Amino acid sequence: MVQGLGAAGAGLLAPGAIPGADNVLRIAGRDVEVQLFSVSPDILRLTVQPIQDGKVAAIADDGTLVQTAFGNPAAKWTGAAGAQTVKLGNLRVAFTPDPLAFAIETAKGESVQHIQIDKETAVVSFTTGTAPILGLGEGGPQFDRRNNTERMASGSGGYNLRNFGSRVPIPWLIGTAGWAMYLHQPFGRFDFTGEVSKFQPWPAFLPGGGRGAPPPQPPADVSTFALPIDLFVVASKEPAAIMAAWSHLTGKPEMPPLWSFGYAQSHRTLLGREAILEEAKMFREKKLPCDAMIYLGTGFCPAGWNTNNGDFTFNTKIMPDPKAMFDQLHQEHFKVVLHVAYPTGIREMKGTVRDTCDTGKRAEPQASCYWGMHRPVLATGVDGWWPDEGDALDLPSRLVRNRMYWDAYQMDRPNERPYALHRNGAAGMARYASFLWTGDVSSLWVTLKNQVPIGINSGLSGIPYWGTDIGGFVPTPEFTGELYVRWFQFGAFCPLFRSHGRVWTLRLPWGWNQGAPTGDIAAETRFVIPDAEYHNAAVEPIIKKYLELRYRMMPYLYSAVRECTQSSLPIMRSLWLHYADDPTAVARGDEYLWGRDILVAPVVEKAATERTLYLPRGAWYDFWTNEKHDGGKEITRKVDLETMPLFVRAGAIIPMGPVKQYTGEKVDGPLDVSVYPGADGSFLLYEDDGNSWNFRKGEWMGIQMAWNDSRKALTMRLAAGSKMLAPAKRDIWVKMGDATKTAVFEGRNLEVRF
């Protein structure tokens, strides 16, 4: 039996009602109802729900969707039915019952997807196509997901930790030919090796396996984990529309504090109170910009901030007076972030921080109870958290944990934006402003190379605030000053800009020229670094150059962050997002756009003297030399150790500020606005106080800039809804090539001509 809104506009059955029919639809041995929903003109939802006790079983809310209901279905099937075509917004779906299949096309007749569901196994087949498939979360085989299999395992054991990092699987696929798909439920594995891809339902957790044991096998009765099936399909040739569809389903990213985009120095084994404070002073004395100090917990290292791994009691041998120490760090304008390890093996976290903590529920850890353990530590002046581990958490619990750090600040520090750097997450984590890093990767050239496409795919999967352990976490014989410099250059153009790893003193900007470490720090490596590497004076000046560049570019970066919260376009962008009609650009996973206008081509080869890269159509300028290049082709750029190729597209407007030692420093000096001629362009420069939620009340400033290339004129006006923030007058130096014009912006429309 079929009920739907086809061309004739047939009536619908009430949701959940089961018509009398002898020949019912069966999937994996269970009676099911198939439903189609129109989510938006270009998004449809397809569900296959088992029938239990005469009613359609509900789809569990795992927290990933911001909206779980989309009105009445446009069509539903529970029994024998003939082929039918259903119109949903701008889409048409041709349904056939045997085989159970759905041919999706646009109103113009353009094919979008063909989905088929095997009635015995519940395997979902769909069209792969010839264009790259991107997304799928953090980690896994890169860059184009075609020709690979993906078991979607989460955590450090997800896929080749050494070379790729931890896995945060998100079953959001972007077909760059003009479609996207979210396999919301059930959990499953992907096979992209054929012309038709397959999604195989698979238990989210299987006991057994382990070293020396055969791999765990799923139960024979697939109906226990194969249903319900809940998938969303998006049809659009416009990348921005596909990203908007993703945020429509899972939420837009929220705004982290400004300081979280400055440099963060992470530490492992701590050497005591005075060493901690002296090291912070060294940053200021050497004028090496830095915003945050991150301290690991004891257990992962011999001497950390707490008494043991996961504890919330200070290690008094290291931090005898934590509040006084943190006050001193705050006086030096450093934020303090502490590492927290989630208890090993616990698979759940329930509720929210606003629930009453019931200490009797030992088998069901509650967010309210767990946050209560943080509160005494928070009171000492901690600014942010580093929630590590949690690999065993099921998917809903990963989001509960992400949300906990977000909600807790709304309750305990209601006008302060939170910061949390997570190892685990899921679809929807961006709406909690969660940062993510790739875990304990090794210090290898191939690992650095892999991080580039991983960062791009993470951004496309709704994880915009992403980064790596600069230098790699586990040292290897390849860990040299050269590898660290190249990784640091890449890190300067990742949203998360943070150094961390074993032998952590080699992550300090001056660490490569202070001699070999001793004691517990030296014991963290099992190989011998050549003595010359411990006296490598070339590293620190290059590190300082990229630290200063990151801070000078903060006006551009923070504006890109704000754009991300409005449009869901990531900060670290696949070329596909702006050059979808260029197959060569779409397929490049070794370079990316930083915001809209800056192309970044990390150097990831040892002893490299040149870097081959692709410039999309249009004119491009070498950031370092201002040399102009025609796009639409590959070029080879010579490099030395201090140079990572950066190119700026014609029409770009790039605002840069003075060098600062921390993001909130008040420094006298003009705003440099560089215009790159050759095309029209625009840019919205965004500012707020960097810490509070006052921007939601209109306390923000936007300067809307527009470049008219034919007139060689840059116009500036105050963006609608914004206001001038102090200082009321902004000195601006507008630069185009070798020419510089000075201007003062006071909130009134302004034009600068060349």
Side-chain angles (χ1 to χ4, degrees):
M1 178 176 291
V2 60
Q3 297 289 338
L5 287 177
L12 282 171
L13 293 175
I18 307 302
D22 295 330
N23 186 13
V24 296
L25 281 174
R26 294 179 67 83
I27 299 292
R30 301 189 65 179
D31 297 350
V32 299
E33 178 169 285
V34 177
Q35 298 184 356
L36 281 175
F37 298 83
S38 179
V39 176
S40 77
D42 298 310
I43 308 173
L44 66 83
R45 184 186 200 181
L46 166 62
T47 66
V48 179
Q49 296 163 258
I51 297 171
Q52 296 176 349
D53 301 324
K55 292 186 178 295
V56 176
I59 294 173
D61 182 6
D62 59 13
T64 60
L65 298 173
V66 293
Q67 181 180 347
T68 56
F70 298 93
N72 293 324
K76 59 184 178 182
W77 298 269
T78 56
Q84 185 194 22
T85 297
V86 181
K87 185 178 185 302
L88 302 95
N90 296 331
L91 304 175
R92 290 199 301 255
V93 181
F95 161 82
T96 58
D98 195 12
L100 183 58
F102 308 84
I104 304 168
E105 61 182 31
T106 68
K108 297 179 180 179
E110 301 168 315
S111 177
V112 176
Q113 257 300 340
H114 186 276
I115 297 171
Q116 184 170 316
I117 302 174
D118 187 276
K119 291 185 176 181
E120 299 298 324
T121 64
V123 168
V124 179
S125 301
F126 56 95
T127 306
T128 302
T130 58
I133 296 175
L134 307 179
L136 221 63
E138 177 192 67
Q142 299 291 321
F143 165 61
D144 182 357
R145 301 293 188 170
R146 291 177 305 157
N147 303 315
N148 290 306
T149 58
E150 176 52 71
R151 64 191 184 98
M152 301 296 282
S154 182
S156 292
Y159 177 81
N160 196 339
L161 176 67
R162 175 180 170 87
N163 292 341
F164 286 78
S166 294
R167 186 76 175 94
V168 175
I170 295 178
W172 163 249
L173 310 175
I174 294 173
T176 54
W179 60 271
M181 185 186 302
Y182 179 36
L183 278 297
H184 175 227
Q185 290 179 13
F187 182 84
R189 308 193 302 179
F190 289 93
D191 183 344
F192 300 109
T193 57
E195 293 183 2
V196 174
S197 293
K198 296 182 183 298
F199 173 81
Q200 177 188 9
W202 191 262
F205 174 76
L206 287 172
R211 184 176 297 179
Q217 297 297 317
D221 182 6
V222 298
S223 69
T224 61
F225 55 84
L227 297 172
I229 296 171
D230 184 22
L231 63 88
F232 296 81
V233 178
V234 182
S236 180
K237 298 287 186 181
E238 296 297 326
I242 287 179
M243 296 307 297
W246 181 234
S247 66
H248 181 78
L249 296 175
T250 63
K252 288 183 178 181
E254 283 284 1
M255 195 82 170
L258 174 62
W259 66 262
S260 64
F261 297 100
Y263 177 65
Q265 181 63 62
S266 186
H267 308 70
R268 281 179 55 81
T269 297
L270 304 177
L271 301 179
R273 184 186 196 280
E274 296 310 315
I276 291 170
L277 298 176
E278 284 301 317
E279 182 252 316
K281 289 180 180 178
M282 185 73 77
F283 271 92
R284 298 298 182 235
E285 290 173 0
K286 284 178 167 286
K287 295 193 178 300
L288 294 162
C290 182
D291 262 85
M293 294 292 175
I294 307 180
Y295 300 110
L296 192 71
T298 303
F300 279 171
C301 65
W305 74 268
N306 55 4
T307 54
N308 207 349
N309 211 18
D311 284 353
F312 290 86
T313 304
F314 282 98
N315 180 356
T316 56
K317 294 180 180 179
I318 300 299
M319 294 184 174
D321 52 348
K323 188 178 188 309
M325 293 177 67
F326 298 164
D327 286 347
Q328 187 167 334
L329 289 169
H330 289 152
Q331 289 171 11
E332 296 287 340
H333 304 285
F334 291 102
K335 302 295 183 181
V336 177
V337 178
L338 298 184
H339 169 270
V340 180
Y342 198 68
T344 303
I346 295 180
R347 294 183 49 77
E348 291 185 320
M349 179 186 283
K350 302 293 185 181
T352 73
V353 295
R354 297 185 184 277
D355 297 335
T356 300
C357 174
D358 183 354
T359 56
K361 292 187 176 181
R362 298 294 182 187
E364 189 179 280
Q366 302 160 74
S368 56
C369 297
Y370 190 54
W371 177 249
M373 298 168 68
H374 291 66
R375 276 188 165 131
V377 180
L378 182 72
T380 62
V382 173
D383 301 287
W385 302 91
W386 174 13
D388 197 356
E389 298 207 309
D391 287 5
L393 288 170
D394 60 24
L395 185 147
S397 297
R398 290 176 221 149
L399 273 185
V400 168
R401 191 185 186 203
N402 276 241
R403 179 182 176 181
M404 183 194 76
Y405 289 95
W406 172 259
D407 283 351
Y409 272 63
Q410 318 296 308
M411 186 167 59
D412 289 2
R413 294 181 179 177
N415 204 26
E416 181 179 325
R417 294 180 230 166
Y419 173 83
L421 170 58
H422 292 268
R423 187 165 103 181
N424 285 283
M429 63 187 294
R431 66 178 185 264
Y432 305 128
S434 298
F435 279 76
L436 184 76
W437 98 104
T438 53
D440 298 347
V441 296
S442 292
S443 303
L444 297 165
W445 284 98
V446 67
T447 307
L448 170 58
K449 182 177 182 179
N450 290 335
Q451 301 309 292
V452 180
I454 289 171
I456 298 170
N457 269 327
S458 296
L460 292 173
S461 304
I463 309 172
Y465 309 132
W466 176 94
T468 71
D469 286 346
I470 292 176
F473 177 77
V474 182
T476 78
E478 294 184 24
F479 189 38
T480 63
E482 180 194 3
L483 176 61
Y484 185 71
V485 163
R486 291 305 191 192
W487 211 312
F488 198 93
Q489 292 166 343
F490 168 59
F493 287 86
C494 291
L496 174 69
F497 187 22
R498 162 185 168 271
S499 291
H500 178 66
R502 291 178 182 163
V503 196
W504 75 268
T505 53
L506 291 181
R507 274 56 178 198
L508 291 167
W510 59 89
W512 293 88
N513 195 29
Q514 63 177 356
T518 59
D520 289 333
I521 295 175
E524 290 186 329
T525 180
R526 297 183 178 88
F527 66 93
V528 177
I529 294 179
D531 187 64
E533 292 296 329
Y534 291 120
H535 302 279
N536 188 340
V539 174
E540 184 179 345
I542 300 175
I543 298 303
K544 185 173 185 178
K545 173 180 177 178
Y546 282 84
L547 281 170
E548 292 183 344
L549 178 60
R550 170 73 166 221
Y551 279 74
R552 286 209 65 208
M553 279 193 171
M554 199 58 68
Y556 177 85
L557 171 56
Y558 198 54
S559 298
V561 172
R562 195 264 184 178
E563 182 187 3
C564 174
T565 67
Q566 302 297 302
S567 68
S568 294
L569 292 177
I571 304 151
M572 188 175 178
R573 300 183 185 180
S574 162
L575 270 60
W576 163 76
L577 284 168
H578 296 290
Y579 302 96
D581 58 349
D582 182 342
T584 303
V586 171
R588 294 301 287 244
D590 64 337
E591 60 188 64
Y592 57 94
L593 295 170
W594 185 239
R596 173 64 184 94
D597 299 316
I598 300 175
L599 187 144
V600 181
V603 179
V604 296
E605 302 292 339
K606 182 179 180 180
T609 58
E610 60 185 25
R611 171 63 153 94
T612 299
L613 57 104
Y614 180 76
L615 295 175
R617 65 175 176 272
W620 293 82
Y621 293 84
D622 188 309
F623 176 81
W624 304 109
T625 67
N626 214 39
E627 180 182 359
K628 187 177 179 181
H629 297 263
D630 292 328
K633 61 183 179 181
E634 272 194 345
I635 68 166
T636 298
R637 210 279 192 194
K638 292 188 179 300
V639 297
D640 53 22
L641 184 59
E642 71 173 275
T643 304
M644 180 178 70
L646 302 171
F647 287 83
V648 186
R649 72 179 185 95
I653 302 166
I654 308 295
M656 296 177 65
V659 173
K660 295 183 176 183
Q661 298 308 303
Y662 52 95
T663 53
E665 185 179 20
K666 305 300 181 184
V667 177
D668 290 335
L671 178 73
D672 286 344
V673 176
S674 294
V675 176
Y676 292 82
D680 292 344
S682 63
F683 187 86
L684 176 63
L685 174 65
Y686 175 83
E687 286 185 21
D688 59 29
D689 65 20
N691 188 61
S692 77
W693 298 110
N694 292 344
F695 67 88
R696 292 176 171 175
K697 304 173 184 177
E699 294 293 325
W700 63 280
M701 183 182 75
I703 302 179
Q704 184 65 62
M705 304 181 186
W707 172 251
N708 185 305
D709 198 61
S710 62
R711 297 178 59 243
K712 295 295 182 286
L714 178 72
T715 57
M716 289 175 269
R717 61 177 175 81
L718 195 63
S722 75
K723 61 172 62 174
M724 288 298 293
L725 300 180
K729 295 182 179 180
R730 301 297 177 103
D731 292 327
I732 298 176
W733 290 4
V734 182
K735 300 178 179 180
M736 187 185 71
D738 295 329
T740 300
K741 297 289 183 75
T742 61
V744 177
F745 184 75
E746 300 178 85
R748 295 183 294 274
N749 292 359
L750 180 67
E751 181 176 88
V752 178
R753 296 284 299 271
F754 286 89

